[in-house]
Amino acid sequence: MTAPVRLGRPPVVLLVPAVLASALVVVPLVALVASAPWSTMGERLASSAVAQALALSIGTSLVTVVACLLLGTPLAWVLARVQAPGLAVLRALVTVPLVLPPVVAGVALASAFGRTGLVGEPLRELTGITLPYTTAGVVVAHVFCSLPFYVLSVEAALRAAGEQHDAVAATLGASRWYAFRRVLLPLALPGIVAGSVLAWARSLGEFGATITFAGNFPGTTQTMPSLIYVALQADADDAKALALVLLAVSVAVLAGLRHRWLDPLRGGGR
Amino acid sequence: MNPRSPLPSTARTARTARTAARLRRVAGAACLALALTGLAACSSGSSSTDASGSTDSSTDSSSGQVDLTILAAASLTESFTTLADDFEKAHPDVHVTLSFDSSATLASQALDGAPADLLATADTTTMDSATDALDDAPEIFASNTLTMVVPADNPAGITDFADAVDGDATYVACVETAPCGSLWAAISKEEGVTSQPASLEVDVKSVLQKVTSDEADAGFVYVTDAAAAGDAVQTFTVPGAEDHVTSYPIAPLTQSEHPTLARKFIELVMSAEGQKVLADAGFSAPQG
C-alpha cells in the first residue's frame, strides 16, 4: 500500500502548535507528579476517608457505566435509527449536559430530584425515597453528566455501521430486536467500548454536580474529587497526594483496558 | 427460527476487517476525548469555586481609574459590598473589586501572589496561613457566631437545637477545614451530638443554600448569614455558640500596588461608619 512518493517533512506550521498542545497537557501533569509530597505520601493517604472516597468513586463510576450501557444504548439506537419528529430536539437536549457548568447541573438535578423537586417531591411522598445525600444521588448526578458522552459515541458508531445491515438482516428474516443484538451491537462494539471509557472517566472526575446535588459526607457521598477539594482547603500537599491516587487508578484502568479489551479486538481475532 | 449467521462468510470477513479499522479509529478518538474529559474535570472544579465565590464589580470600570482589589470571606459578601460602595463614593477615582470565596482558598491565592491589595478572612487560622503574603499585622474588625437556620416553612417541625440533632431531621454543616465547620465541630463535641450531618458543605453559603432550597431541614451558619437570608429562614439559637466566636482579620498584601489606599480601606472598616455597616449585617464587635 505504501506508495513510493516522497511526502516531504512534516510542516512546521503543524509541528509547532502540536508541540505547544502537548506541552499544555503534559507539563501540568508532570508538575503535579514532581511536586507531590512523595516522602510523606504513606501517612497522608493512610486515613480512612481516603479509602472510603476511593471505594465510593470506583463503585459509583462503575454503576454509572452500567446505567449508561442499559439506558444509553437503547437511546443511541433510537436517535440513530428511528425517524420521528422531535428526535432532533431530543438529541440536542441530551447533549446539553456536555456544555452545562457542572454546578448548574447540580442545581438542575436538585430542581428535579431534590426533596421538593418536580419528581423528587411525589417520589418522597409515595415511597419515602430521597436522593440528595445518598450514594444513589451521586450515581444519578454522574449518569446525568456521563450519558451524553456515551450516547454520542454509540450513536456515531451505529450511524457509521449503516442501515444496509438492518436491511440485509431483515431480508434474511431477522426481527428488528434480533438484528439489533446480533448485527448492530457487534458492529457498534468499538463505539460502545469507547463510550463506556469516556463515561467512566467523566464519572470518576465528576465534582460540581455531585457536591451540589448529593452533598459531601465521608462514606456516602464524598467521592475522590470532593475529598480533594476539601483537602485543598486545608493542605495543598494532601490534595496533591489524593490527586495522584486518582490519576494512578485511571491510568491503571485505561492501560488494563488497552491490553485486555482493545488489543485482542484490534487484532481482528473475532 | 432466525438464522444464526445472517451474513455470508465473505461479508463477515469484510465486516471483521472494517471492525478492526473502526476500532483503531475509535481507540484514537477515545484517547483524544479522554484528554478533553480531563479538561472538563478541571473546569468542573473551577466552576464550583465560582459558585461559592464571585467577583463583584460594583461600578463601571471603564473610566480607567485606580483599581483596589479585596479578597474577602464569603460571609462578608453583603457587608463588604456596602463598604466598597461607600469607599468608592468617598474616593471617586477608585474602583473596588471584590472577590468572595472560602477563607482558605483566598489565603492560598494571596500566598500564590494573586493580584490583590487586601485579604479579609473569617478566622485567624486562615489569615495566619497567609502570613508570608501580609504587608502588615492583621487587624480584627468583627466577630461572628454560629446559629441554626431552618427553611421558612420548617418542614421537619424543628423546635430547638436538640430536636434538630437528636431526631430524624436532615441537617447540614460546614466541613471542618472551613472556619464555620471548626465552630460546628467544637460545639457539637461540647454538646455531645452523636448524629451526623447529611452533608459537610465546603463553605457557609452552601449550607445556607441547602436550607433555603428546602434540601435540608436545618443548617448551621453564621448569625450574619441568617440575617442575610431574611424571611427565607427561621433562626434558632445554638447552645454554647457565644463561647465559640470566630474573629475576622483584615490585612494588606505585600503584592499591593496601592498600599495607601489599602490602608484607607482598613481605616474605613475600623471606623464607626464601617462598624455600623458590619453591625447591620449581624456581626458582633471585635473581641480579643
Side-chain angles (χ1 to χ4, degrees):
Chain A
M1 285 291 278
T2 42
V5 178
R6 239 183 88 82
L7 293 174
R9 297 155 59 121
V12 175
V13 257
L14 293 182
L15 282 184
V16 171
V19 169
L20 280 179
S22 314
L24 191 66
V25 174
V26 173
V27 169
L29 292 179
V30 170
L32 178 68
V33 174
S35 68
W38 289 104
S39 54
T40 54
M41 199 68 136
E43 54 201 87
R44 285 179 193 278
L45 297 179
S47 82
S48 62
V50 178
Q52 279 179 328
L54 191 59
L56 190 69
S57 269
I58 292 174
T60 51
S61 60
L62 290 179
V63 174
T64 298
V65 170
V66 171
C68 284
L69 286 167
L70 294 180
L71 303 175
T73 315
L75 175 58
W77 182 84
V78 168
L79 292 177
R81 286 295 188 269
V82 175
Q83 309 283 336
L87 274 185
V89 177
L90 176 66
R91 188 167 182 279
L93 285 177
V94 167
T95 57
V96 164
L98 287 177
V99 294
L100 212 57
V103 176
V104 178
V107 173
L109 284 164
S111 312
F113 304 116
R115 300 200 316 172
T116 53
L118 206 60
V119 180
E121 187 158 21
L123 182 75
R124 186 183 180 210
E125 278 165 8
L126 291 175
T127 64
I129 297 172
T130 55
L131 285 175
Y133 317 122
T134 64
T135 308
V138 176
V139 171
V140 168
H142 285 198
V143 172
F144 180 84
C145 294
S146 305
L147 202 59
F149 288 92
Y150 180 83
V151 169
L152 288 186
S153 173
V154 176
E155 194 209 342
L158 289 173
R159 283 188 190 277
E163 275 193 270
Q164 69 270 29
H165 295 289
D166 302 42
V168 171
T171 59
L172 292 172
S175 72
R176 201 124 199 223
W177 169 233
Y178 185 88
F180 171 76
R181 279 188 302 133
R182 307 286 306 186
V183 182
L184 272 182
L185 273 190
L187 281 173
L189 193 61
I192 291 172
V193 171
S196 303
V197 170
L198 281 175
W200 175 78
R202 178 69 185 82
S203 166
L204 197 68
E206 162 52 36
F207 166 68
T210 312
I211 205 161
T212 311
F213 172 61
N216 170 51
F217 196 80
T220 50
T221 56
Q222 188 177 65
T223 57
M224 281 298 276
S226 299
L227 180 63
I228 290 171
Y229 183 71
V230 169
L232 204 54
Q233 307 270 308
D235 185 347
D237 277 350
D238 274 352
K240 282 178 190 167
L242 292 166
L244 279 188
V245 173
L246 197 59
L247 202 63
V249 168
S250 48
V251 167
V253 170
L254 291 178
L257 275 182
R258 268 187 78 79
H259 290 302
R260 289 187 201 151
W261 279 34
L262 299 179
D263 278 352
L265 281 174
R266 190 186 287 193
R270 32 174 303 175
Chain B
M1 291 255 272
N2 285 320
R4 283 207 52 84
S5 197
L7 300 173
S9 64
T10 47
R12 275 220 313 277
T13 319
R15 190 194 68 186
T16 312
R18 272 201 308 277
T19 307
R22 195 176 304 120
L23 198 76
R24 272 192 290 277
R25 283 200 305 275
V26 167
C31 294
L32 194 81
L34 270 177
L36 270 171
T37 319
L39 265 172
C42 306
S43 70
S44 70
S46 63
S47 48
S48 168
T49 313
D50 287 344
S52 56
S54 59
T55 305
D56 175 39
S57 303
S58 306
T59 56
D60 196 288
S61 62
S62 56
S63 35
Q65 319 137 315
V66 181
D67 206 39
L68 190 72
T69 304
I70 304 172
L71 309 176
S75 45
L76 292 167
T77 304
E78 296 79 16
S79 49
F80 265 44
T81 303
T82 308
L83 286 172
D85 286 345
D86 293 350
F87 193 75
E88 282 173 351
K89 274 181 204 134
H91 304 84
D93 56 333
V94 177
H95 170 68
V96 179
T97 304
L98 294 165
S99 174
F100 297 110
D101 210 317
S102 80
S103 297
T105 302
L106 295 172
S108 73
Q109 284 176 359
L111 268 183
D112 280 344
D117 303 288
L118 285 163
L119 172 67
T121 60
D123 71 355
T124 49
T125 313
T126 44
M127 182 59 84
D128 290 347
S129 71
T131 299
D132 290 348
L134 305 184
D135 200 33
D136 203 351
E139 285 179 62
I140 308 291
F141 64 91
S143 66
N144 215 346
T145 51
L146 216 57
T147 191
M148 186 173 83
V149 289
V150 305
D153 57 349
N154 196 358
I158 287 167
T159 53
D160 61 9
F161 174 81
D163 188 36
V165 298
D166 292 349
D168 301 321
T170 302
Y171 67 96
V172 291
C174 288
V175 69
E176 202 168 341
T177 48
C180 50
S182 66
L183 288 187
W184 159 251
I187 290 172
S188 63
K189 196 177 164 200
E190 224 171 70
E191 294 297 315
V193 174
T194 51
S195 62
Q196 294 285 355
S199 178
L200 298 169
E201 298 295 316
V202 289
D203 63 29
V204 70
K205 293 292 180 194
S206 306
V207 174
L208 187 66
Q209 190 268 335
K210 287 279 192 287
V211 174
T212 54
S213 65
D214 261 1
E215 290 301 332
D217 300 322
F220 294 92
V221 299
Y222 292 124
V223 172
T224 52
D225 299 299
D231 292 341
V233 296
Q234 291 181 43
T235 307
F236 293 87
T237 53
V238 172
E242 63 281 359
D243 301 328
H244 297 276
V245 176
T246 186
S247 292
Y248 285 62
I250 187 168
L253 297 172
T254 49
Q255 58 260 42
S256 171
E257 288 172 8
H258 316 289
T260 320
L261 273 177
R263 173 50 56 192
K264 279 189 176 155
F265 190 86
I266 295 179
E267 281 164 13
L268 169 68
V269 171
M270 303 300 292
S271 71
E273 182 197 351
Q275 289 294 308
K276 185 180 180 305
V277 170
L278 289 159
D280 287 348
F283 285 99
S284 307
Q287 298 180 5

